[in-house]
């Protein structure tokens, strides 16, 4: 799972990432400069991070299938 963590999030406390990691130990956290609504404030940067994450997952899936 990927968590794009805004650097200036005024909605979620900074400790929220710890709670998320308890549920998802392999959680990948990327801190992005910006407010709580990152996808609106930094759409291109956020999309690039999500695409890179999906590509890494696809590569891992291909390796596990022996591709």
């Amino acid at each position: 799972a990927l968590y794009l963590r805004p650097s200036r999030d005024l909605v979620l406390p900074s400790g929220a990432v710890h709670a998320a990691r308890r549920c998802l130990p392999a959680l990948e956290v990327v801190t992005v400069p910006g407010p709580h609504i990152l996808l609106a404030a930094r759409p291109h940067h956020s999309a690039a991070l999500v695409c890179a994450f999906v590509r890494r997952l696809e590569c891992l899936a291909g390796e596990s299938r022996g591709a």
Side-chain angles (χ1 to χ4, degrees):
L2 175 65
Y3 173 30
L4 298 181
R5 181 178 179 269
S7 63
R8 296 187 314 272
D9 195 337
L10 301 178
V11 177
L12 292 175
S14 60
V17 70
H18 301 297
R21 276 215 169 104
R22 279 194 297 276
C23 297
L24 300 164
L27 181 66
E28 183 175 327
V29 179
V30 179
T31 301
V32 180
H36 178 76
I37 307 172
L38 276 178
L39 299 181
R42 308 272 324 262
H44 299 290
H45 185 67
S46 298
L49 291 169
V50 170
C51 287
F53 179 76
V54 170
R55 281 194 297 275
R56 284 193 304 278
L57 291 180
E58 290 173 340
C59 286
L60 290 172
E63 288 173 8
S64 70
R65 288 191 304 258

